[in-house]
């Protein structure tokens, strides 16, 4: 699709240039800036919501250990295993996301034309795409708000500036989208390199002080916490899921950088940095449970709070990029499949097919994000509504992945069913724990 909306020739069978070539340092840095921003800023609010949010169970040592164990295994199972080992294999000519999965599993007629007789798969794919757009609306709002709210920790009258500063940052973010993913990633990559380094640096000293927090890696603590906590512990999964909210964006952004670059960046840099910070916050709470309302910013003290707020705000802006880029990719896929109007799709790279900009969707997302900020007015309010779109997308991805296992790769029924039932059990647990958020705006 060209900039004037005219049809662009299909690139043909095969993968995008980024899907199978060895990733370069530039590509890895770009992936760090564009793909991992969403999941990378979850430490700003995930632990806080688990211990002091609507469903928080307090910062008692047993609760802290249980929450950290749940966070560790959620990241390991949902992101590392489900998405980066299995789901990213299901790319359609290098593109990812629910519509790419839908394109794979729908049967074909002669000449490669898609049939639309599989109504269930079609409904799921379109619903997943719609949920990703919803996620693209709320993620920039909650990420930027949670970072700028650090001004409230400093005291004084700076708290009154949170909303106007947040709105100004969001407007600027959407205005720069026309520059293209590559250019945005060139700036955002170093910014996220600094951010993940900051996560590790601020979390590590607390782990050294309270090394017993590392025992939370043992799943015993997660199981014990869930068994002893009853329904309250189950509802807490609605807050735990905040640590994995970037999984769908990661998959949807597959066409921008390719699975090899995304996998390497996650396993060798992003995941370790996240774990160090999460466990650092847990260690802090073991020693200072009174800091449960803002455990992330409590990792530092004195004048260092100000540069941390600045770095967190930049990272929150970057966090929004993963969803925005994912929505652009999903929009183009919908156009090609005939499920969306002929929107303007501008290709912003001469070498990478998947790097695009859709001005109409960009405008829609900007208006929606500003509306959410002004409606909910705090990251805690948004967190109470956050999770429905994410967990719904996770369930749909698992269902379509099962169809891909059977129809595309022709895996035997029992291994396909066993694997996807395992994924589905976790996804549905997170989804049902979030159902109560519908009443809070979800």
């Amino acid at each position: 699709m060209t900039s004037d909306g005219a049809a662009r020739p299909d690139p043909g069978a095969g993968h995008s240039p980024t899907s199978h070539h060895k990733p370069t340092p530039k590509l890895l840095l770009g992936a760090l800036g564009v793909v991992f921003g969403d999941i990378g800023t979850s430490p700003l609010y995930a632990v806080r919501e688990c211990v002091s949010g609507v469903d928080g169970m307090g910062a008692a040592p047993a609760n802290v250990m249980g929450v950290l164990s749940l966070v560790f295994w959620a990241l390991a199972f949902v992101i590392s295993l489900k998405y980066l080992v299995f789901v990213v294999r299901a790319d359609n000519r290098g593109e990812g996301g629910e519509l790419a999965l839908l394109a794979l599993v729908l049967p074909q007629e002669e000449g490669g034309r898609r049939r639309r007789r599989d109504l269930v798969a079609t409904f799921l794919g379109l619903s997943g795409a719609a949920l990703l757009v919803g996620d693209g609306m709320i993620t920039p709002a909650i990420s930027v708000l949670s970072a700028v709210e650090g001004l409230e920790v400093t005291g004084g009258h700076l708290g009154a500036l949170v909303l106007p500063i947040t709105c100004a940052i969001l407007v600027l973010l959407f205005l720069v989208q026309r520059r293209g993913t590559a250019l945005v990633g060139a700036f955002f990559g170093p910014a996220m390199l600094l951010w993940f380094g900051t996560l590790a640096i601020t979390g590590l000293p607390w782990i050294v002080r309270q090394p017993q927090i590392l025992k939370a890696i043992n799943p015993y603590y997660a199981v014990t916490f869930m068994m002893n906590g009853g329904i309250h512990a189950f509802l807490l999964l609605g807050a735990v899921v905040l640590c994995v909210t970037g999984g769908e964006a990661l998959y949807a952004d597959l066409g921008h950088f390719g699975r090899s670059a995304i996998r390497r960046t996650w396993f060798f840099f992003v995941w370790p940095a996240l774990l160090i910070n999460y466990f650092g916050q847990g260690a802090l709470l073991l020693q200072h449970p009174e800091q449960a309302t803002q455990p992330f910013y409590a990792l530092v003290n004195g004048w260092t709070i100000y540069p941390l707020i600045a770095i967190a705000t930049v990272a929150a802006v970057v966090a929004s990029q993963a969803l925005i880029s994912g929505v652009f990719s999903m929009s183009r896929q919908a156009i090609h499949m005939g499920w969306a109007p002929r929107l303007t799709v501008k290709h912003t790279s001469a070498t990478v097919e998947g790097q695009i900009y859709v001005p109409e969707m960009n405008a829609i997302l900007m208006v929606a994000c500003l509306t959410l900020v002004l409606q909910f007015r705090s990251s805690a309010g948004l967190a109470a509504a956050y999770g429905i779109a994410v967990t719904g997308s996770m369930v749909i991805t698992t269902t379509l992945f099962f169809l891909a296992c059977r129809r595309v790769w022709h895996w035997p029924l029992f291994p396909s069913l066993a694997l996807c039932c395992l994924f589905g059990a976790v996804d549905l647990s997170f989804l049902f724990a979030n159902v109560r958020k519908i009443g809070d705006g979800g």
Side-chain angles (χ1 to χ4, degrees):
M1 193 71 61
T2 60
S3 60
D4 60 359
R8 181 187 183 120
D10 196 290
H15 302 291
S16 71
T18 57
S19 64
H20 58 281
H21 289 181
K22 183 178 180 179
T24 63
K26 181 178 179 181
L27 198 64
L28 291 171
L29 191 62
L32 181 66
V34 174
V35 177
F36 294 103
D38 184 9
I39 198 168
T41 51
S42 294
L44 284 168
Y45 48 81
V47 173
R48 179 194 72 195
E49 293 303 314
C50 287
V51 295
S52 64
V54 175
D55 295 313
M57 297 182 66
N63 294 339
V64 172
M65 296 294 287
V67 165
L68 263 294
S69 188
L70 286 171
V71 167
F72 175 84
W73 288 105
L75 287 170
F77 185 84
V78 176
I79 306 298
S80 297
L81 182 63
K82 175 186 171 182
Y83 281 99
L84 286 175
V85 173
F86 287 100
V87 173
V88 294
R89 297 169 179 260
D91 69 287
N92 182 37
R93 299 174 179 176
E95 294 284 351
E98 275 90 351
L99 291 184
L101 264 176
L102 178 61
L104 283 177
V105 304
L106 285 183
Q108 294 185 338
E109 295 176 341
E110 291 185 11
R113 294 180 58 190
R114 301 286 180 184
R115 294 184 300 184
R116 298 180 182 176
R117 289 187 286 185
D118 196 332
L119 297 180
V120 174
T122 300
F123 175 77
L124 288 174
L126 295 178
S127 298
L131 289 172
L132 183 74
V133 175
D135 194 16
M137 295 174 179
I138 196 171
T139 293
I142 191 174
S143 298
V144 177
L145 257 180
S146 60
V148 179
E149 282 173 347
L151 293 173
E152 297 175 346
V153 179
T154 65
H157 301 289
L158 294 177
L161 300 175
V162 169
L163 287 182
I165 290 176
T166 299
C167 291
I169 291 173
L170 288 172
V171 170
L172 289 174
L173 170 65
F174 285 102
L175 289 179
V176 302
Q177 292 302 313
R178 67 185 65 198
R179 309 297 295 180
T181 305
L183 188 61
V184 170
F187 167 74
F188 283 174
M192 290 310 290
L193 188 64
L194 174 62
W195 170 247
F196 284 111
T198 301
L199 290 181
I201 291 171
T202 55
L204 188 58
W206 290 97
I207 296 176
V208 173
R209 296 174 197 173
Q210 299 285 336
Q212 65 267 34
I213 193 65
L214 295 176
K215 294 180 180 179
I217 295 174
N218 189 336
Y220 165 81
Y221 289 95
V223 174
T224 302
F225 176 77
M226 294 299 294
M227 292 180 64
N228 294 338
I231 187 64
H232 197 171
F234 177 77
L235 292 176
L236 187 68
L237 292 177
V240 173
V241 77
L242 295 174
C243 75
V244 297
T245 52
E248 282 298 323
L250 181 154
Y251 179 42
D253 279 328
L254 190 61
H256 289 259
F257 297 98
R259 60 172 168 262
S260 182
I262 291 173
R263 280 173 172 168
R264 293 188 186 194
T265 307
W266 169 259
F267 284 109
F268 292 109
F269 189 64
V270 173
W271 193 21
L274 285 173
L275 290 179
I276 291 173
N277 191 267
Y278 280 127
F279 277 78
Q281 290 187 51
L284 164 76
L285 292 174
L286 289 181
Q287 187 171 338
H288 299 287
E290 71 278 4
Q291 298 289 351
T293 54
Q294 280 290 0
F296 175 80
Y297 286 111
L299 291 173
V300 300
N301 54 61
W303 64 269
T304 54
I305 187 70
Y306 294 101
L308 183 59
I309 292 172
I311 296 172
T313 302
V314 173
V317 172
V318 178
S320 310
Q321 188 62 47
L323 268 299
I324 295 170
S325 301
V327 170
F328 291 165
S329 297
M330 198 78 73
S331 300
R332 184 180 69 160
Q333 294 169 30
I335 294 168
H336 284 173
M337 297 176 70
W339 294 115
R342 295 167 65 87
L343 303 173
T344 304
V345 179
K346 296 184 178 181
H347 291 259
T348 59
S349 172
T351 58
V352 182
E353 174 71 21
Q355 294 187 3
I356 58 174
Y357 166 63
V358 184
E360 293 90 346
M361 293 305 300
N362 190 62
I364 290 172
L365 290 178
M366 181 177 70
V367 172
C369 286
L370 293 174
T371 302
L372 286 171
V373 168
L374 297 175
Q375 174 71 23
F376 286 91
R377 306 185 71 81
S378 72
S379 62
L382 279 165
Y386 198 17
I388 295 294
V390 174
T391 53
S393 295
M394 288 166 56
V395 172
I396 290 171
T397 296
T398 297
T399 305
L400 293 177
F401 181 75
F402 170 75
L403 296 178
C405 291
R406 298 288 294 145
R407 297 182 181 183
V408 180
W409 303 315
H410 306 292
W411 290 6
L413 176 61
F414 180 75
S416 302
L417 193 60
L419 178 66
C420 292
C421 282
L422 186 61
F423 291 156
V426 174
D427 296 340
L428 288 172
S429 296
F430 283 131
L431 177 62
F432 290 145
N434 275 278
V435 167
R436 63 171 295 278
K437 293 185 177 182
I438 294 175
D440 295 321

